[in-house]
Amino acid sequence: MGRAYQNRKESMAKTANAKSKVYSRYGREIYVCAKQGGTDPDGNLALRGLIDRAKKDQVPAHVIEKAIDKAQGGAGEDFSPARYEGYGPGNCMVIVDCLTDNPNRTFGDVRNCFTKSKSKIGAQGSVAHSFDHCAIFAFKHDSEDEVLEALMEADVDVTDVEYEEGLVTVFAPHTEYAAARQALTGAFPEVDFEADEIQFLPQVTTSISEDDQPMFERLMDMLNDLDDVQNIYHNAEQ
C-alpha cells in the first residue's frame, strides 16, 4: 500500500488550545463508544483501542473515567455520527467525521468552513469512493511474515502488511478491526501499538499549489476549531 496514515492530532497542533481539544474529542468518542458497545474494555475491543490511544496521547485518566462513567449512567447527551464530504482548495478531497447532538447545527458549521475557504461541500459519497476505509495497526516487530501468518491463522481479511525500519504496519478493511486487533494481541501479548485505529486513506493524492496553501490551512484550522469535528481526512499533498 505504501501510504502514510494521518496523525489524528497533526493539524490540531497549530491551535493554542490543542490539548483541551484532544481531551474533549477523546472524551466524546469514548462516551459514544462505551454507550454503544458496553463499558467493559475487555468486551468492547473498539473501546479498548480507544482508551489505549487516549493514554498514548496523554489524555488524563480522569477524562477517560468520566466519559465511561457517563456512559454507564445511561444519561447524558445523545451524540450520533455525521460525515461530510467535499472539495477543498486546489480541488483536493476532504472527509469530515463528526459526533453531534444537533445535526442541523453541525452541517451549518461545517458548510460555513468550506464556504469561507473557497471550498465546496458535496453530497454524501461524493469523495468517499476515492478513499479506502481501513483499520490500521502499526507496532515494532522484526518479521512481517510472522505477523501475516498470525492474521491468516485467525482468518482475518488483510489488505496489506508493510515492514520498514523495525515497524510493521497492518492494513485491513475497517470491518475487520476487532478481529485483527484480537488476533494481534493474542499472537503477540506484549504488542505496543503505535497506531491502532480506523481511518480513510486516499487512493490518490492531489498536489496543493503555493497559492492554494493558505486557504487549505484555513479550512483545516476552521474545521478543527469546531467542537463536533472528530477527524478530518484529505488527499492533499503539501
Side-chain angles (χ1 to χ4, degrees), residues 78-114:
D78 189 16
F79 291 109
S80 58
R83 180 169 295 144
Y84 306 102
E85 305 172 33
Y87 292 89
N91 215 32
C92 67
M93 292 182 278
V94 182
I95 296 175
V96 185
D97 270 354
C98 303
L99 283 174
T100 177
D101 57 355
N102 186 332
N104 290 335
R105 179 199 65 224
T106 304
F107 175 71
D109 289 345
V110 170
R111 183 176 55 188
N112 185 52
C113 296
F114 275 82

Side-chain angles (χ1 to χ4, degrees), residues 129-184:
H129 60 85
S130 297
F131 289 76
D132 291 324
H133 202 188
C134 295
I136 303 163
F137 302 91
F139 52 96
K140 286 186 170 60
H141 197 76
D142 48 22
S143 170
E144 60 185 301
D145 291 337
E146 200 177 307
V147 171
L148 182 59
E149 193 178 325
L151 290 163
M152 290 178 76
E153 275 181 16
D155 204 25
V156 176
D157 182 12
V158 181
T159 308
D160 200 6
V161 178
E162 293 179 358
Y163 176 82
E164 189 177 351
E165 296 178 356
L167 193 73
V168 171
T169 306
V170 174
F171 297 89
H174 72 282
T175 50
E176 294 286 287
Y177 172 83
R181 194 180 202 280
Q182 201 160 21
L184 292 170

